[in-house]
């Protein structure tokens, strides 16, 4: 995102109507970008302060604090996530856009994991009458995955659904080396997947191969595949001594607060680079139809 575009984005976001809401129904977010929450069986985290809470059966507090969408983990390395169905039904009732991600791991064949994601997404689509138009499909690729596994997962999801999934990538040295070293044709194929980046601090990710990327555009350069990012997970959670600790980007012009609105516990949080109208179009382009 160019710095001189920020005032325009702020104005546009203030005039847009988030999916499922009425004008002015949501509080403004940092930078004016739509907010997306991602969840798994580990959510909700433990209570840490006064404030509103949520569960897989009621996510109205997430919506009230400005979340436009919720992406639930469908599975991981061959195992399904038991809270996925309840989280997505709650998100749809609350007027949030629903999505699923699958954490793809090395020890299970990538096609098997893609099939598990697609089977679950199809079952979800048929399992209820939805308010939302589409279910976003995402692949969360482990840092030690070979390039062939990433491509096989993408191809299988697309061949079965007609949908190109979103690619979630950690700030991983091995993945950066793998993807940046790909040939031009392979990079062009990877670019068909929108890039969902993860960066929780400007000084994280430094090592003998790469310096800390500093900001989202720095991470883009290190992966050397995409010209821009679509989703940014700026808020994650660290586990220390059996307790969660929020890890939230807070530097330069991106100073996100440690907690999401008035929630009483940490959440994993993302922003979409664009307007609410663009978010709705993106969700339908890279989602399984629910209508």
């Amino acid at each position: 995102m160019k710095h001189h575009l920020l005032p325009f984005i702020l104005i546009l976001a203030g005039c847009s109507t988030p999916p499922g809401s009425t004008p002015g129904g949501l509080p403004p977010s940092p930078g004016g970008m739509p907010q997306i929450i991602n969840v798994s069986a580990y959510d909700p985290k433990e209570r840490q302060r006064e404030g509103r809470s949520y569960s897989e059966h009621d996510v109205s507090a997430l919506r009230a604090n400005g979340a436009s969408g919720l992406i639930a983990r469908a599975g991981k390395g061959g195992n399904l996530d038991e809270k996925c169905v309840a989280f997505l039904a709650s998100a749809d009732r609350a007027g949030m856009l629903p999505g699923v991600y699958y954490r793809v791991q090395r020890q299970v064949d990538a096609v098997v994991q893609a099939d598990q994601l697609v089977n679950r997404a199809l079952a979800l689509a048929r399992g209820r009458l939805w308010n939302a138009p589409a279910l976003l499909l995402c692949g969360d690729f482990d840092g030690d995955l070979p390039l062939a596994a990433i491509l096989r997962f993408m191809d299988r999801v697309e061949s079965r659904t007609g949908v190109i999934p979103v690619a979630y990538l950690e700030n991983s040295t091995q993945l950066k080396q793998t993807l940046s070293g790909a040939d031009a044709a392979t990079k062009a194929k990877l670019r068909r997947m929108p890039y969902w980046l993860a960066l929780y601090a400007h000084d994280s990710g430094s090592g003998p191969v790469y310096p800390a990327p500093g900001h989202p555009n720095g991470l883009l350069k290190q992966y050397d595949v995409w010209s821009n990012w679509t989703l940014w997970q700026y808020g994650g959670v660290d586990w220390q001594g059996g307790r969660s600790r929020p890890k939230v980007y807070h530097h330069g012009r991106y100073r996100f607060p440690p907690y999401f609105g008035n929630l009483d516990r940490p959440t994993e949080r993302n922003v979409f680079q664009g307007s609410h109208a663009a978010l709705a179009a993106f969700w339908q382009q890279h989602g399984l139809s629910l209508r």
Side-chain angles (χ1 to χ4, degrees):
M1 184 193 303
K2 299 293 187 183
H3 184 71
H4 63 270
L5 290 178
L6 188 58
F8 171 75
I9 292 173
L10 284 165
I11 294 170
L12 180 62
C15 297
S16 301
T17 301
S21 72
T22 56
L26 293 179
S29 63
M33 296 178 282
Q35 298 269 345
I36 313 295
I37 302 297
N38 61 287
V39 295
S40 72
Y42 296 112
D43 290 295
K45 311 302 192 287
E46 80 281 0
R47 184 173 184 268
Q48 296 185 356
R49 64 174 195 166
E50 294 295 324
R52 292 192 64 178
S53 186
Y54 69 97
S55 73
E56 64 269 32
H57 304 294
D58 182 1
V59 298
S60 57
L62 300 178
R63 182 61 173 158
N65 277 285
S68 296
L70 181 143
I71 306 175
R73 191 175 71 185
K76 171 184 174 182
N79 299 306
L80 291 175
D81 193 313
E82 66 272 16
K83 292 184 180 180
C84 176
V85 175
F87 262 126
L88 293 176
S90 298
D92 191 52
R93 286 194 301 269
M96 298 167 69
L97 294 168
V100 286
Y101 75 93
Y102 192 103
R103 185 165 181 179
V104 187
Q105 297 190 310
R106 190 185 187 102
Q107 74 272 14
V108 179
D109 184 80
V111 170
V112 171
Q113 295 177 87
D115 281 340
Q116 198 170 40
L117 170 66
V118 171
N119 291 343
R120 172 154 259 196
L122 291 172
L124 284 162
R126 298 165 183 155
R128 68 190 304 271
L129 294 176
W130 294 85
N131 297 307
L135 179 69
L136 190 72
L137 303 181
C138 310
D140 172 3
F141 301 113
D142 258 10
D144 63 350
L145 275 180
L147 183 56
I150 295 173
L151 294 172
R152 289 177 72 225
F153 182 91
M154 178 186 77
D155 286 344
R156 183 65 168 181
V157 172
E158 184 181 11
S159 69
R160 288 196 58 194
T161 65
V163 174
I164 301 168
V166 177
Y168 175 91
L169 303 172
E170 289 281 1
N171 185 5
S172 160
T173 295
Q174 185 169 333
L175 270 183
K176 284 185 277 194
Q177 289 179 302
T178 298
L179 270 62
S180 65
D183 59 44
T186 301
K187 287 185 178 182
K189 190 171 185 177
L190 288 166
R191 276 194 295 272
R192 297 176 69 224
M193 294 187 288
Y195 177 32
W196 179 2
L197 69 88
L199 187 64
Y200 315 124
H202 72 284
D203 54 357
S204 65
S206 63
V209 180
Y210 297 97
H215 51 80
N217 287 342
L219 196 51
L220 275 170
K221 291 178 181 178
Q222 291 179 352
Y223 269 108
D224 192 29
V225 174
W226 291 271
S227 61
N228 214 338
W229 56 271
T230 302
L231 291 168
W232 169 19
Q233 186 178 3
Y234 68 84
V237 175
D238 230 349
W239 291 93
Q240 295 179 345
R243 182 177 173 82
S244 62
R245 182 178 68 84
K247 298 189 302 180
V248 179
Y249 193 98
H250 190 81
H251 182 73
R253 59 194 176 99
Y254 297 114
R255 296 183 179 271
F256 298 100
Y259 293 89
F260 187 54
N262 67 356
L263 292 185
D264 62 357
R265 63 201 67 210
T267 51
E268 298 189 35
R269 299 138 60 186
N270 313 266
V271 285
F272 171 80
Q273 187 169 207
S275 67
H276 288 285
L279 175 68
F282 162 76
W283 218 269
Q284 290 191 267
Q285 182 179 357
H286 294 279
L288 188 69
S289 177
L290 296 174
R291 296 177 182 172

